[in-house]
Amino acid sequence: MSFSLSPLTLARGTQEALLLPRMMNRHGLVAGATGTGKTVTVRVLAEGCSALGVPVFLADVKGDLSGLARAGGDNPKVETRVRELGLGGFAYEGFPVMFWDLFGERGHPVRTTVSEMGPLLLARLLNLNETQEGVLTVAFRMADDEGLLLLDLKDLRALVALVGERASELRTRYGNVSAASVGAIQRGLLALEEQGGARFFGEPALDLFDLLQTDARGRGVIHLLAAQRLMQTPKLYATFLLWLLSELFEALPEVGDPEKPRIVFVFDEAHLLFDEAPPALRQKIEQVARLIRSKGVGVYFCTQNPLDVPDEVLGQLGNRVQHALRAFSPREQRAVKAAAETFRPRPGLDVAGAITQLGVGEALISFLDEKGTPVPVDRALVYPPRSCLTPLSDAERAEIIRSSTLYGHYERSVDRDSAYEVLERRAKTAQGELPAAAPSTRPAAPPKAARGRDSFAEAFAKSAVRAVGSQVGRQVVRGLLGSLFGGRR
């Protein structure tokens, strides 16, 4: 089945609101108060991308998006909107969906390694101050210099403990290391483990190219991240999505302005990305957003209030969908005014007044034209979704997970030889409990998977390449944020 590059029609006002595939990597914003229709807009966007052959990564914050996998027909409001817009050729349709879960309960487990996450994002995740972050950076540098592989949290705990023990020795090499900072890092790691964050660190690490899939009909796969439980630890949620965005930037080659994006990334509850973020981190988020469009990645922020997104990032978002906002408090009134001023005006339309009067499923929309110029804002009705608005049952979700081409690959975690094991052997050797040349405890490689993917040995070898640099430097790879924030490759 072939797909044309026809524009995605998301809504209709005085004319149809057309999102051009070539402009989808110019990023976008979907904003509006609770209950105004943001989730349906995101659903329609995901369906359109999939039909175009573009994969989508979308966090399912409220747990109501799993119905994307099944054809609709279960909601009378959809039928009403179809008649209201006169959509004669409208047909219900399910879309290819793949489920992911950092906790491995409602989707394929998502993992990365400590080394790939890097010290800056980990410092934010652990609520470290600047001094404590410096000590964590010392630990990573020490891992680089001593060739220690950092894969999971026990590796990092063992390394931080070693830094504390050797504080006086390290002071002249790396700078002051205080016992208080070491203790704060260890407490942060313990808290992260208790919140279930330890499941996120380990192997096999996520292969980002598994997100760039299409089905047999050429439709882009919609990757749904189960985020209901994850939202209880909002910093883990925000840090993971920022890490994923940065890793996509590093993994994908430059493509300039492609005919359509390679993947569209939707960041729901976008304010969590910027809450309590230090200025340096906010600056680098803006930098990532600006640079990643050249890799063919479109980023769409979804939030209740456009003021949740800093101006330097908001300026990168060329495609705008503004649902209704309330204007009871001074801050809300400022938000309405700010949102109105970001649109290219349309003669005869009071944008600020319309924002507070929009109905459910109605929005002010301005997309980029073929020259990259915002079209005049229009008041429009969002098209109805073709998929089912009712979430899947647990049995239906489990069936889709089991039938996935990835099933069995990420479900099997393996704990291989890394910093924890190396340091444990060193300690036992020093105490005379082991001979000087202890045999490796690395597990034997399982046989090659029947479905043609890399064997576990090959997958881990690739992970090792990502985690360890040349034999001369043996530096731990950080990923994009490591290099952007002054890390070393």
Side-chain angles (χ1 to χ4, degrees), residues 360-473:
V360 176
E362 191 178 16
L364 293 171
I365 298 179
S366 176
F367 295 145
L368 299 177
D369 63 18
E370 61 277 0
K371 296 181 180 179
T373 303
V375 301
V377 62
D378 197 8
R379 183 170 179 170
L381 292 175
V382 176
Y383 271 40
R386 298 177 183 272
S387 58
C388 183
L389 292 177
T390 303
L392 300 182
S393 66
D394 290 343
E396 290 172 319
R397 177 189 286 263
E399 181 182 355
I400 290 176
I401 294 172
R402 287 194 299 269
S403 63
S404 166
T405 57
L406 299 180
Y407 183 69
H409 177 69
Y410 291 107
E411 280 69 16
R412 297 174 58 187
S413 64
V414 173
D415 181 18
R416 66 186 176 112
D417 212 43
S418 51
Y420 173 81
E421 289 79 13
V422 170
L423 295 177
E424 186 178 53
R425 286 200 300 273
R426 286 184 187 176
K428 290 182 177 179
T429 300
Q431 297 170 5
E433 298 178 18
L434 287 178
S440 173
T441 58
R442 185 172 301 176
K448 179 94 171 171
R451 57 191 173 87
R453 291 183 54 83
D454 294 332
S455 70
F456 276 89
E458 291 168 331
F460 294 151
K462 291 180 179 179
S463 180
V465 169
R466 293 199 302 266
V468 178
S470 67
Q471 292 298 320
V472 176

Side-chain angles (χ1 to χ4, degrees), residues 40 46 48 89 91 123 151-152 168 219 236 285 297 310 394 419 435:
V40 170
L151 301 179
D152 52 30
S168 58
R219 298 177 301 172
L236 178 58
I285 293 171
V297 178
D394 290 343

